[in-house]
């Protein structure tokens, strides 16, 4: 079973026009506003190559070792 990622809460101030645009975009993508903001941030980090590398779990290591045989 995959481990649940911990999350941190924070307050974000956004002007009303920007928030309206985010809410409309979220609705178009069938996401919550929070989910849309998370996606926007993740995509920006990915494009900037700023996302932290994923840690390998035991299953990933075993699968790699089996593939090397």
């Amino acid at each position: 079973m995959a481990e649940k990622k911990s999350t941190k809460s924070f307050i974000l101030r956004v002007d009303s026009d920007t928030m309206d645009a985010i809410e409309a975009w979220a609705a178009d993508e069938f996401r919550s506003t929070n989910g849309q903001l998370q996606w926007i941030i993740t995509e920006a980090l990915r494009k900037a190559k700023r996302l932290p590398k994923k840690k390998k779990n035991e299953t990933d290591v075993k699968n790699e070792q089996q593939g090397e045989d």
Side-chain angles (χ1 to χ4, degrees):
M1 193 159 131
E3 287 184 33
K4 187 176 179 181
K5 291 183 180 180
S6 64
T7 60
K8 293 184 179 183
S9 298
F10 68 97
I11 295 176
L12 174 65
R13 290 180 183 85
V14 179
D15 67 81
S16 61
D17 290 339
T18 301
M19 193 63 188
D20 290 344
I22 293 168
E23 289 171 340
W25 190 8
D28 290 346
E29 300 285 330
F30 303 104
R31 291 188 179 109
S32 66
T33 302
N34 187 68
Q36 189 68 20
L37 287 166
Q38 288 177 329
W39 180 83
I40 291 167
I41 293 166
T42 300
E43 282 300 296
L45 289 168
R46 184 186 61 77
K47 287 178 183 177
K49 298 182 180 175
R50 295 287 201 156
L51 273 178
K53 292 185 180 183
K54 292 182 181 179
K55 294 180 183 175
K56 293 182 182 181
N57 61 30
E58 288 181 30
T59 304
D60 293 335
V61 172
K62 287 178 185 176
N63 288 339
E64 285 180 359
Q65 289 173 346
Q66 290 174 353
E68 294 176 0
D69 293 339

